[in-house]
């Protein structure tokens, strides 16, 4: 028996077919390679190692959401014990389709079914195809952070494996952002002359650990993503959530792939921008260490206000201990309210750092409930690991955070820690042994963040998982921003910005700025998301204050161009050696209407004294006023001339330049 349904909106067509006891889907669009994807399963699950056969059609519902059609298909297995609900939706104004699902029990009296295999996605497209992915941060892996990898999918070659999700930063193998782009044709040879063609982008909405495999046959290129270490006992009334993924179509280069992803995600995935100023300039107390107190930080707030900082955050050291989320009574005898109130009086927001899945052995909850720990030992600054998949522990954490936000008047939380999706093999927790990957992510971390956000809708969340991990679209659905590269160096910061701005909007590239403030180091941190100063700013001298003020003013001026603009990747920073890096790198942003653009150019160590940079993405047949911030040059040139002959930049080592382009009045 075969049944088929079709969703159509604008130029995108999605076909869903139930046949041979499985559910398949495909999409058609002029920008997809070959005009379409090939049929691929979306019901690939196993129970105790055996594929589940979906033999009975229960219901089909169609409605409208996001200004476009949505389809829900409900199936049952051959024993009538399991029910699959699979949803598909399209989106107005975006050539994207998204699908997700859930499996639930129909018989509460039988033994609990064990779901031990689940594909997040399958997809197949016509060859020839190149796949682009971007790596995540890692402490021990090679030091060229957020590297971009182009992989031609060639027949008869072993499948490429991409690890995605919350692999911790101490993991020694490479891991990737939960996004890939496919494009018809061969890889680019030179970043200055990118290739172009029809393509697809894919984003995975799962914070746990997953693996995507990509390979090719003589006929097609394939990708498949599966959840790691799954052993989920399905309980009555508690559906197993199949992670969502989305697929979008585009025509162009890798920058266009990133741009269509970001516009879709800003419209339908990310939390709304917290206010019209976002992303903010922030202060973080990290460089003061854990020796922070009320008087010290109240004094720092005055400096923050003088600099134009918009958010002040207390990092590690404000709490009684890790896992006891109350202010330290010695350091903060009146709690955090005096600091929060003064920050608010000065027009700033106020927040704290929380190592959300950690607990020190002297924390009251650890003493009272030692069984809450997934394991003890020094997992993070002397603290062990709590299991967010264990329901009592999860409920305690939600209650603690909801109370903390209310009592201390918080506007902001940095979620940090060593791999928040813990591996827990305990047999006395509410999750099944061996199911901690799913339990600690979908059933644990995600639900904690959702519950606290529901209780405090104003609260802004920053993901700092291990300094730049868990770069998924589930994270980006729950959090307002994310770190990319931890506070390690200026050049590495630029690498994080450059790579992460392919899959993620610029606001998801927090910069932890800890180097000594100079015009060069400050400027290296002002493209993208929140700019966070982590120095002892109370100790800034007059020159550092002046340099920081100038950089903050420039950041605020440029963020209106960058936050919603198309990011153009001109020259990648690829040589992270000797701490400072080598050679030239450049990145650009262009507003959607192409009336304004900014090009950030940097020279690390070595390389020539001058370099021609070729901006892209300008309005054809228009003229632009070109202004060099430091060289003091202002000229009017045609877009064709700029893009063909480039802009010439002269820099010394560890130098930078900002070039603004604005469409000339005669071209408007």
């Amino acid at each position: 028996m075969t049944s088929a349904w079709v969703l159509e909106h604008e130029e995108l067509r999605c076909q869903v077919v139930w046949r041979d006891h499985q559910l398949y889907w495909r999409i058609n669009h002029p920008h997809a390679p070959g005009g379409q994807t090939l049929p691929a399963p979306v019901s690939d699950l196993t129970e105790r190692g055996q594929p589940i056969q979906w033999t009975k059609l229960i219901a089909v519902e169609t409605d409208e959401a996001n200004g476009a059609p949505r389809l829900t298909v409900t199936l049952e297995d051959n024993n009538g014990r399991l029910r699959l609900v699979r949803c598909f939706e399209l989106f107005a104004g975006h050539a994207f389709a998204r699908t997700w699902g859930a499996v639930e029990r129909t018989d509460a009296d039988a033994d609990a079914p064990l779901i031990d295999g689940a594909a997040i996605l399958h997809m197949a497209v016509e060859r020839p195809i190149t796949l682009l992915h971007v790596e995540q941060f890692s402490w021990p892996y090679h030091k060229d952070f957020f590297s971009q990898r182009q992989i031609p999918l060639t027949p008869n070659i072993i499948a490429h494996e991409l690890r995605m999700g919350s692999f911790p930063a101490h993991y020694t193998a490479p891991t990737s952002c939960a996004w890939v782009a496919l494009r018809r044709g061969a890889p680019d040879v030179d970043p200055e002359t990118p290739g172009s063609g029809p393509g697809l982008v894919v984003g995975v909405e799962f914070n746990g650990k997953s693996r995507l495999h990509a390979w090719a046959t003589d006929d097609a290129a394939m990708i498949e993503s599966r959840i790691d270490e799954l052993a989920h006992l399905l309980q009555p009334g508690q559906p197993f959530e199949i992670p969502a993924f989305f697929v979008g179509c585009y025509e162009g280069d890798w920058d266009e792939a990133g741009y269509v992803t970001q516009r879709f995600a800003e419209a339908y995935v990310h939390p709304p921008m917290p206010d019209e100023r976002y992303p903010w300039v922030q202060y973080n107390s990290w460089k003061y260490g854990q020796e922070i107190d009320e008087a010290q930080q109240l004094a720092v707030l005055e400096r923050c206000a003088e600099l134009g900082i918009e958010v002040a955050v207390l990092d590690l050291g404000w709490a009684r201990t890790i896992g006891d989320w109350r202010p330290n009574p010695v350091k903060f005898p009146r709690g955090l309210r005096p600091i929060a109130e003064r920050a608010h009086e000065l027009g700033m927001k106020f927040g704290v750092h929380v190592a959300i899945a950690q607990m020190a052995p002297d924390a009251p909850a650890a003493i009272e409930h030692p069984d809450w720990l997934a394991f003890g030992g020094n997992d993070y600054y002397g603290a062990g690991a709590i299991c967010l998949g264990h329901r009592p522990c999860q409920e305690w954490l939600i209650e603690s955070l909801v109370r903390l936000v209310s009592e201390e008047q918080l506007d902001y939380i940095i979620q940090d820690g060593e791999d928040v999706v813990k591996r827990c093999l305990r047999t006395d927790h509410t999750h099944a042994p061996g199911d901690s990957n799913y339990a600690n992510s979908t059933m644990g971390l995600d639900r904690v963040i959702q519950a606290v956000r529901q209780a405090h809708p104003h609260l802004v969340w920053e993901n700092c998982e291990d300094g730049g991990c868990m770069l998924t679209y589930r994270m980006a659905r729950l959090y307002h921003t994310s770190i990319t590269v931890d506070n390690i160096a200026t050049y590495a910061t630029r690498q994080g910005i450059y790579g992460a701005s392919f899959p993620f909007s610029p606001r998801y590239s927090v910069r932890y700025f800890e180097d000594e403030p100079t015009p060069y180091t400050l400027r290296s941190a002002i493209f993208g998301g929140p700019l966070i100063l982590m120095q002892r700013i109370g100790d800034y001298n007059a020159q550092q204050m002046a340099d920081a003020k100038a950089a903050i003013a420039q950041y605020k001026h440029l963020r209106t161009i960058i936050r919603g603009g198309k990011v153009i990747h001109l020259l990648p920073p690829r040589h992270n050696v000797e701490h400072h890096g080598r050679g030239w790198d450049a990145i650009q942003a262009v507003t959607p209407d192409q009336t304004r653009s900014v090009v950030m150019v940097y020279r690390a160590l070595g390389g020539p004294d001058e370099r021609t940079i070729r901006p892209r993405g300008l309005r054809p047949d228009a003229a632009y006023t070109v202004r060099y911030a430091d060289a003091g040059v202002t000229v009017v040139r045609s877009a064709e001339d700029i893009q063909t002959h480039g802009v010439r930049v002269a820099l010394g080592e560890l130098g930078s330049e900002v070039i603004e382009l604005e469409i000339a009045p005669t071209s408007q």
Side-chain angles (χ1 to χ4, degrees):
M1 181 177 177
T2 299
S3 297
W5 308 273
V6 173
L7 299 176
E8 292 183 283
H9 188 71
E10 297 168 355
E11 294 185 287
L12 184 63
R13 184 173 188 267
C14 174
Q15 183 181 34
V16 180
V17 177
W18 175 54
R19 59 176 170 80
D20 302 327
H21 304 158
Q22 292 296 334
L23 201 61
Y24 297 84
W25 86 317
R26 66 189 300 176
I27 59 173
N28 298 73
H29 191 274
H31 293 166
Q36 63 183 359
T37 64
L38 305 176
V42 284
S43 57
D44 178 5
L45 297 102
T46 62
E47 180 192 359
R48 301 189 184 275
Q50 298 300 309
I52 301 174
Q53 303 294 308
W54 304 106
T55 59
K56 186 177 180 180
L57 178 62
I58 301 300
V60 178
E61 299 177 22
T62 57
D63 61 355
E64 186 172 292
N66 309 310
R70 180 172 58 188
L71 170 71
T72 303
V73 179
T74 303
L75 304 170
E76 278 189 2
D77 73 338
N78 54 332
N79 297 315
R81 297 183 306 118
L82 299 176
R83 181 167 291 174
L84 169 69
V85 179
R86 190 83 206 192
C87 300
F88 306 84
E89 60 181 349
L90 307 183
F91 301 86
H94 299 267
F96 275 73
R98 180 174 179 264
T99 178
W100 70 99
V103 178
E104 56 189 8
R105 293 176 59 172
T106 59
D107 184 353
D109 298 326
D111 292 338
L114 179 71
I115 306 297
D116 56 5
I120 299 174
L121 70 90
H122 290 273
M123 200 167 68
V125 295
E126 294 182 6
R127 295 185 48 249
I129 286 291
T130 295
L131 179 147
L132 173 73
H133 73 101
V134 179
E135 292 177 348
Q136 294 186 135
F137 177 75
S138 173
W139 285 108
Y141 188 53
H142 73 88
K143 298 306 179 185
D144 284 319
F145 300 109
F146 281 78
S147 294
Q148 306 93 59
R149 308 294 186 187
Q150 297 183 62
I151 303 172
L153 298 183
T154 307
N156 306 316
I157 301 296
I158 189 171
H160 301 273
E161 181 180 82
L162 309 181
R163 302 170 183 89
M164 297 177 172
S166 62
F167 284 89
H170 65 249
Y171 189 70
T172 57
T175 64
S176 294
C177 299
W179 173 88
V180 297
L182 304 171
R183 193 183 70 200
R184 191 170 185 85
D188 292 342
V189 176
D190 181 354
E192 294 189 85
T193 55
S196 183
L200 300 169
V201 294
V202 181
V204 175
E205 299 183 33
F206 180 58
N207 279 334
K209 298 163 181 64
S210 65
R211 300 184 191 230
L212 183 145
H213 292 91
W215 71 99
T217 66
D218 290 335
D219 301 320
M222 317 281 197
I223 64 172
E224 173 188 283
S225 172
R226 305 192 75 88
I227 298 174
D228 270 16
E229 295 186 344
L230 182 63
H232 184 74
L233 283 172
L234 196 59
Q235 302 297 341
Q238 299 178 24
F240 169 76
E241 298 178 24
I242 304 170
F245 71 93
F246 58 76
V247 178
C249 309
Y250 74 98
E251 173 78 36
D253 57 13
W254 297 129
D255 290 333
E256 183 66 14
Y259 185 60
V260 299
T261 306
Q262 294 167 23
R263 294 307 90 210
F264 167 75
E266 285 290 0
Y268 295 110
V269 178
H270 303 329
M273 296 275 188
D275 66 20
E276 72 284 351
R277 302 174 301 166
Y278 199 77
W280 297 312
V281 184
Q282 303 181 195
Y283 155 76
N284 181 287
S285 68
W286 174 257
K287 203 66 178 240
Y288 286 92
Q290 298 192 46
E291 292 71 43
I292 54 177
D293 59 43
E294 178 183 314
Q296 174 201 71
Q297 292 301 304
L298 282 172
V300 171
L301 286 182
E302 305 305 315
R303 272 291 180 93
C304 290
E306 186 179 349
L307 287 168
I309 287 171
E310 296 159 317
V311 182
V313 175
L314 299 185
D315 209 289
L316 194 65
W318 65 269
R320 300 187 179 200
T321 191
I322 295 174
D324 184 2
W325 304 120
R326 296 173 295 168
N328 184 301
V330 176
K331 300 175 183 179
F332 302 98
R334 297 187 294 166
L336 302 182
R337 273 206 176 197
I339 300 178
E341 289 170 354
R342 183 55 181 154
H344 294 155
E345 288 171 1
L346 293 169
M348 289 180 279
K349 297 183 182 296
F350 175 68
V352 298
H353 166 284
V354 177
I356 200 168
Q358 314 293 155
M359 188 175 287
D362 61 341
I367 296 170
E368 186 176 354
H369 303 284
D371 57 298
W372 285 5
L373 272 68
F375 52 86
N378 183 5
D379 188 48
Y380 180 84
Y381 288 89
I386 60 174
C387 177
L388 298 184
H390 184 44
R391 198 164 299 112
C393 184
Q394 181 188 130
E395 291 169 354
W396 164 84
L397 181 59
I398 292 170
E399 181 181 351
S400 297
L401 294 178
V402 169
R403 172 194 50 77
L404 172 68
V405 174
S406 295
E407 291 182 354
E408 309 303 332
Q409 296 185 347
L410 301 185
D411 309 297
Y412 196 95
I413 284 182
I414 302 176
Q415 165 259 298
D416 197 0
E418 175 66 27
D419 187 13
V420 295
V421 179
K422 305 296 185 182
R423 189 167 191 261
C424 179
L425 301 177
R426 297 188 68 122
T427 59
D428 57 349
H429 282 190
T430 56
H431 63 81
D435 194 40
S436 59
N437 182 36
Y438 175 81
N440 270 285
S441 56
T442 301
M443 297 179 66
L445 172 69
D446 296 0
R447 292 183 180 174
V448 168
I449 305 300
Q450 287 172 314
V452 179
R453 281 190 58 190
Q454 184 174 10
H456 297 292
H458 76 285
L459 191 67
V460 175
W461 283 84
E462 174 193 330
N463 170 51
C464 180
E465 220 265 25
D466 258 342
C469 300
M470 201 172 76
L471 270 292
T472 77
Y473 287 92
R474 185 61 173 168
M475 177 280 297
R477 186 173 287 278
L478 296 170
Y479 297 77
H480 299 80
T481 189
S482 175
I483 183 59
T484 52
V485 174
D486 214 324
N487 55 327
I488 49 178
T490 288
Y491 192 79
T493 293
R494 295 209 303 270
Q495 289 186 317
I497 295 166
Y498 196 94
S501 57
F502 279 97
F504 292 101
S505 293
R507 66 156 147 153
Y508 286 87
S509 57
V510 164
R511 271 65 40 70
Y512 287 167
F513 176 59
E514 193 178 357
D515 281 352
E516 287 301 309
T518 68
Y520 171 73
T521 59
L522 284 158
R523 186 170 281 168
S524 294
I526 64 176
F527 188 103
L531 167 59
I532 302 181
L533 279 64
M534 305 191 84
Q535 298 95 349
R536 299 172 66 97
I537 65 173
D539 299 337
Y540 275 7
N541 60 35
Q543 186 61 56
Q544 291 171 330
M545 286 292 290
D547 289 342
K549 282 183 181 179
I552 288 170
Q554 190 172 53
Y555 172 82
K556 291 178 178 179
H557 168 66
L558 294 177
R559 67 182 168 190
T560 58
I561 301 175
I562 296 168
R563 64 187 175 195
K566 180 177 183 179
V567 179
I568 310 290
H569 299 85
L570 299 174
L571 287 175
R574 288 177 171 167
H575 308 291
N576 188 16
V577 294
E578 302 169 12
H579 182 80
H580 294 292
R582 297 194 69 81
W584 290 67
D585 57 280
I587 192 167
Q588 177 189 3
V590 184
T591 57
D593 62 5
Q594 299 174 295
T595 59
R596 299 177 69 195
S597 178
V598 60
V599 180
M600 309 287 292
V601 186
Y602 308 95
R603 182 187 173 196
L605 298 179
D609 292 336
E610 293 189 11
R611 183 71 190 256
T612 297
I613 307 297
R614 291 180 172 81
R616 302 194 295 268
L618 305 180
R619 187 182 295 178
D621 303 322
Y624 285 81
T625 302
V626 183
R627 298 183 179 90
Y628 290 68
D630 292 348
V633 174
T634 299
V635 296
V636 176
R637 296 172 58 187
S638 70
E640 181 182 8
D641 181 47
I642 294 169
Q643 296 182 146
T644 301
H645 299 103
V647 293
R648 194 72 176 167
V649 183
L651 291 175
E653 290 187 324
L654 304 182
S656 64
E657 180 63 279
V658 177
I659 304 170
E660 286 192 63
L661 297 87
E662 186 168 5
I663 200 162
T666 56
S667 296
Q668 293 180 355

